[in-house]
Amino acid sequence: MQTRTSFRLLLISILLAGQVRGAEQRPNAEKAPQTDLATLLRIQTDVQKLLPQVRPALVAIQTGGGTASGVIISADGLLLTAAHVPGGPGKDMRVILEDGSVTTAKSLGLDTTTDAALAQLKKREKPWPFVKLSREVIKAQPGEWCFALGHPGGFDKSRGPVLRVGKIIKQTANSLHTDCVLMGGDSGGPLFNFAGEVIGIHSQIWENRDQNVHVSMTPFLRSWEAMQKSQVIKIWGVGAGGYLGVATVMSDDVELEVADVIEGSPAQKAGVRAGDVILSVNGDAMTDQQQFTATVRAKAAGDTLKIKLRSSGKERELAVKLAQKPQEEGQ
Amino acid sequence: MTNDEIRMTKKIPNPNDERLAASGTVVISSFELRHLFVIRKFVIRHSAVLFLSPFFALADTPRPTLPPEQRTNGWQTLSAVTQLKPLTLDCTARVESVLGRPICTATIVGADGYLLTKASEVPDLDKARVRFADGRTAALREVRREVRLDLVLAQAVGVTGLRAVSFGAAKPLTLGQWMCSTADAGKEPRIGIVSAQRRRIPGDGAALGIRMDEKTPKEVKGVRIIGIASESPAEVAGLQENDVLLTIAGEVVAQYRRVHEIVNKRQPGEIIEVRYLRKDKEESCRVRLASRTKVLQNWEGEDFANGGISLRSDSFPEVLQHDIPLLPADMGGPVATLEGKVVGINIARVDRVTTFALPVEAFWIEAQQWIKADRHPPKAVLVK
């Protein structure tokens, strides 16, 4: 009980921070029209028209660890799911189709950083029912309506798949956040746009109802070939930008302090140590974490950063050459 | 360690097939969606997402976030259903304790004070009252309690001129159809959709939320508790590990099986007296039972349930499932179509994504007869 309570408090404090950020950046707050009944009814009509087309592509997945969801995206049985569902490449999974018929699939590659995974259904004569995935990730913007399918709590024949309709709250480099409420068992299930295309794969939740995180199509499209070759991608990074390999924390004196240095990273090789205070990068004074992240991400692999540090009262300057994000081969 | 509750607990930390096999009911043996545990609050791993919270993930490039008012249940979106207020919110009342604590929501079904609410939330209507939207309060007279439906028909004493809901058929509803309901004791609208197939929800009796010692030593007169489920009826009532159960609902218990039998045949929401031994001292407490499925599925607590789960969440002849974000205290309130036709009464908050409503066809014909019989009680016939 004790630990749980404190954990909740922690979540709440972070949540508040998030909401403050949200409040600062209201896109079209004044312009946003109030929704009318006709809009809701149009959404309803569209969802109900798309459902019969997309539902057959939803599957329930059972592994040794529990049950989850997935979605078929090609006639020859390629399956998208979340990386934490198979947990590794080459894993056999039991797959239940909408009508209750059972088949198997084997996991291919996965991207453990973004929670994206690819799997292959067992070959069959008849083409698999499938849906398309959206290649225009940029279109999934806050405020857009979307809908989610999945098997929360596992496959239940009498209940069938569970539908949720909601809005996109945010798009990040590799994910979408929506108010389509998810829970255990939904993992790996699809989030759709109103063209009936997959725009997300259910991945994570936070305590708040509006905190439902889906892997966007970005990591899938970026790592498609690698995942088809059953590779495991552990990218240290989101989006573009060179790789430095440090974690920072704001110290009690409100200074930017190195909390951790990743083993084998450019930062470690250049001599950055935990406890160092970061004073400046390329001559620009560093005052907070966001500014530092932005500065590092603005540089590409191969670029050199001049980082001025202070430890035990002594200042020093290091040159760190940013590297490629590390990737690891699969089995 | 043998009763079902025991078998269940062993499985909880690591949901697996064994858990399914053992319980024999609809048990969630699902992957937890990955919960993000933020280890150090203000740590950002540059070029690493390992411990990034969704909010810090955007530290570099500020990204637009949809403000709360524009979300699916934000006020700007909800403005679409404002015109339904006279048909939904105005036909709703709050059932509260005599001290004013909200208990559940009631659907007004007769202008002369008849209302329906969730029975298991109000075992004793004498200790509750109803508060209407206009601020009036009234005592409640129980007319009919139907355990099968988990509904209670009551009349607000001395109240007239209420606005009753207008029922429409729930049968034609299809997956994806918008529904609207009331939250915050009938003060605010909420929307959602029909999210799954209409169906029967089987039940599995009531539970305390305890693990019992199968081999309580002979010299101990009673059954020793060896585990308590988080947020369970037992925990709420203050029972602890190593307490020795002596009597349950007045009956002496010497064997864990007997405890299970007594509890399991009761209804969720029912209150039973438990006498127990703690550190050689005899004590007693009143335990409010919950659905067995609810207890088993939430052994470690109702994480991410967002406001809790109804004590009775199963054993319904038929339910509509929807995704309207509601709380247990919102149960008993009406659920309507966007035309303002009430098609059901919210009957159980089940988990983060699920609310059950009793469809109108499951109760309204019967309920009308109860009202009729109550308005016109049969006259005494003189037998010659």
Side-chain angles (χ1 to χ4, degrees):
Chain A
M1 262 325 262
Q2 282 296 310
T3 49
R4 263 163 60 86
T5 310
S6 58
F7 166 60
R8 283 196 175 169
L9 285 175
L10 184 62
L11 275 179
I12 289 159
S13 64
I14 288 155
L15 203 150
L16 287 174
Q19 284 177 346
V20 171
R21 282 177 58 86
E24 285 162 5
Q25 312 146 3
R26 294 188 174 184
N28 318 317
E30 312 80 35
K31 283 185 283 171
Q34 300 200 352
T35 312
D36 54 12
L37 270 182
T39 310
L40 292 185
L41 291 171
R42 203 175 56 240
I43 298 295
Q44 175 181 311
T45 310
D46 291 350
V47 171
Q48 293 193 325
K49 204 166 71 192
L50 288 167
L51 265 180
Q53 300 166 33
V54 301
R55 257 174 76 157
L58 171 76
V59 300
I61 297 176
Q62 295 178 336
T63 69
T67 92
S69 306
V71 64
I72 311 171
I73 49 107
S74 75
D76 58 359
L78 265 181
L79 198 65
L80 301 190
T81 188
H84 71 276
V85 174
K91 297 274 172 70
D92 289 315
M93 304 183 288
R94 189 164 178 264
V95 173
I96 309 170
L97 300 174
E98 200 201 352
D99 61 5
S101 62
V102 178
T103 182
T104 58
K106 205 181 251 308
S107 61
L108 299 172
L110 30 110
D111 178 344
T112 55
T113 324
T114 61
D115 205 23
L118 213 55
Q120 176 65 55
L121 282 169
K122 205 169 85 178
K123 295 278 176 236
R124 75 170 191 189
E125 293 285 306
K126 213 170 89 185
W128 292 100
F130 71 98
V131 287
K132 285 186 184 149
L133 52 86
S134 166
R135 291 179 184 278
E136 292 173 291
V137 183
I138 194 75
K139 281 190 174 172
Q141 287 297 326
E144 292 290 322
W145 288 92
C146 55
F147 63 99
L149 281 176
H151 293 286
F155 184 80
D156 178 345
K157 183 103 198 246
S158 71
R159 178 196 66 185
V162 178
L163 172 71
R164 276 128 301 170
V165 173
K167 285 182 172 187
I168 295 169
I169 290 174
K170 180 162 59 188
Q171 183 185 119
T172 75
N174 292 307
S175 71
L176 293 175
H177 299 215
T178 73
D179 56 14
C180 291
V181 185
L182 307 174
M183 64 173 256
D186 271 320
S187 285
L191 182 74
F192 292 101
N193 62 15
F194 278 80
E197 298 166 333
V198 180
I199 54 169
I201 292 296
H202 314 326
S203 168
Q204 312 174 359
I205 51 172
W206 268 42
E207 187 156 13
N208 194 292
R209 273 176 188 154
D210 283 355
Q211 294 174 310
N212 306 285
V213 184
H214 320 254
V215 187
S216 79
M217 287 303 105
T218 307
F220 286 101
L221 297 170
R222 182 177 58 213
S223 314
W224 194 259
E225 263 105 58
M227 287 202 288
Q228 275 202 308
K229 286 182 210 149
S230 296
Q231 288 178 351
V232 177
I233 300 146
K234 293 180 186 168
I235 306 176
W236 289 95
V238 271
Y243 166 62
L244 178 63
V246 301
T248 61
V249 65
M250 292 310 290
S251 71
D252 296 340
D253 303 329
V254 205
E255 289 181 307
L256 185 63
E257 194 179 295
V258 176
D260 200 6
V261 182
I262 293 160
E263 195 69 28
S265 68
Q268 194 213 24
K269 285 177 193 160
V272 179
R273 289 184 299 262
D276 288 347
V277 172
I278 301 167
L279 300 171
S280 71
V281 175
N282 291 348
D284 296 330
M286 290 292 129
T287 52
D288 64 58
Q289 295 168 294
Q290 298 183 7
Q291 182 203 6
F292 181 60
T293 311
T295 309
V296 175
R297 296 247 180 102
K299 300 287 173 188
D303 286 355
T304 301
L305 293 184
K306 279 191 179 155
I307 305 182
K308 198 178 206 176
L309 302 162
R310 191 187 69 226
S311 56
S312 328
K314 272 192 243 168
E315 291 186 8
R316 64 186 203 280
E317 191 167 68
L318 298 173
V320 190
K321 194 176 174 186
L322 297 180
Q324 291 282 352
K325 300 148 203 159
Q327 294 201 7
E328 279 181 31
E329 288 278 307
Q331 291 162 303
Chain B
M1 304 234 304
T2 46
N3 105 6
D4 279 356
E5 292 183 5
I6 298 163
R7 276 184 266 154
M8 201 57 206
T9 8
K10 274 160 71 183
K11 282 156 261 137
I12 299 283
N14 198 358
N16 54 28
D17 295 342
E18 185 199 333
R19 197 175 147 192
L20 257 178
S23 80
T25 56
V26 194
V27 166
I28 297 187
S29 91
S30 54
F31 273 105
E32 291 308 311
L33 274 151
R34 295 197 316 179
H35 299 163
L36 275 173
F37 296 125
V38 178
I39 290 173
R40 282 166 294 188
K41 202 160 42 167
F42 294 111
V43 171
I44 298 183
R45 293 192 172 248
H46 297 281
S47 302
V49 281
L50 211 58
F51 298 113
L52 275 186
S53 79
F55 298 105
F56 290 124
L58 335 158
D60 52 342
T61 45
R63 287 166 189 273
T65 301
L66 193 68
E69 64 269 21
Q70 288 180 38
R71 297 179 189 174
T72 306
N73 271 287
W75 66 262
Q76 284 185 2
T77 314
L78 289 174
S79 61
V81 295
T82 313
Q83 63 201 81
L84 301 179
K85 187 174 176 284
L87 302 166
T88 54
L89 293 169
D90 294 353
C91 313
T92 307
R94 169 167 119 170
V95 179
E96 59 182 32
S97 72
V98 286
L99 297 172
R101 182 183 58 84
I103 299 171
C104 58
T105 305
T107 302
I108 301 169
V109 294
D112 47 351
Y114 287 99
L115 31 90
L116 284 166
T117 190
K118 179 165 167 68
S120 56
E121 293 294 320
V122 273
D124 198 350
L125 279 175
D126 290 344
K127 290 178 184 158
R129 67 176 177 211
V130 60
R131 179 183 293 275
F132 296 98
D134 59 11
R136 278 187 292 174
T137 60
L140 288 165
R141 176 178 67 89
E142 184 169 316
V143 177
R144 172 84 181 224
R145 184 172 286 266
E146 191 68 23
V147 169
R148 182 177 58 90
L149 297 168
D150 198 14
L151 280 181
V152 61
L153 174 71
Q155 189 178 28
V157 180
V159 176
T160 52
L162 295 177
R163 191 173 178 128
V165 292
S166 147
F167 284 111
K171 269 260 150 43
L173 290 175
T174 47
L175 197 63
Q177 190 159 341
W178 284 110
M179 315 257 279
C180 133
S181 197
T182 65
D184 196 14
K187 286 204 203 83
E188 296 204 25
R190 290 285 184 274
I191 56 168
I193 50 145
V194 176
S195 59
Q197 284 165 36
R198 183 174 164 143
R199 65 196 186 280
R200 187 181 76 87
I201 303 296
D204 197 20
L208 290 165
I210 56 168
R211 272 164 56 198
M212 291 171 283
D213 195 350
E214 191 187 342
K215 289 176 245 152
T216 304
K218 280 224 176 73
E219 62 273 19
V220 180
K221 271 195 201 145
V223 181
R224 198 165 64 92
I225 297 176
I226 56 171
I228 304 259
S230 209
E231 293 167 45
S232 66
E235 190 187 85
V236 172
L239 287 171
Q240 294 173 6
E241 229 175 273
N242 290 321
D243 286 350
V244 176
L245 300 173
L246 301 173
T247 70
I248 306 266
E251 191 181 324
V252 176
V253 287
Q255 267 217 324
Y256 71 92
R257 280 195 194 88
R258 194 63 203 132
V259 176
H260 180 66
E261 280 165 18
I262 296 169
V263 172
N264 198 42
K265 68 173 185 226
R266 303 264 165 171
Q267 285 301 323
E270 245 183 90
I271 296 169
I272 55 166
E273 171 101 8
V274 172
R275 292 198 72 77
Y276 59 96
L277 209 58
R278 179 178 298 167
K279 290 181 184 145
D280 299 327
K281 223 179 120 202
E282 214 176 297
E283 298 186 41
S284 77
C285 64
R286 283 155 59 81
V287 188
R288 184 112 184 264
L289 301 177
S291 274
R292 202 174 154 69
T293 20
K294 166 195 142 83
V295 171
L296 298 193
Q297 287 178 6
N298 299 279
W299 197 274
E300 308 263 282
E302 293 158 9
D303 252 349
F304 295 88
N306 303 100
I309 293 166
S310 299
L311 284 174
R312 173 161 162 193
S313 59
D314 59 12
S315 188
F316 302 113
E318 198 172 20
V319 298
L320 288 171
Q321 181 171 334
H322 62 74
D323 73 343
I324 306 174
L326 297 175
L327 298 177
D330 298 322
M331 297 303 107
V335 58
T337 62
L338 292 193
E339 289 81 47
K341 287 288 174 198
V342 171
V343 290
I345 287 181
N346 289 314
I347 203 67
R349 178 74 187 159
V350 182
D351 55 43
R352 184 175 156 107
V353 307
T354 315
T355 300
F356 291 152
L358 282 179
V360 63
E361 293 85 0
F363 65 85
W364 187 226
I365 290 175
E366 270 175 272
Q368 279 172 292
Q369 289 164 356
W370 305 336
I371 295 171
K372 200 174 156 196
D374 190 59
R375 278 183 185 141
H376 312 284
K379 299 208 167 58
V381 178
L382 198 61
V383 182
K384 283 184 186 170

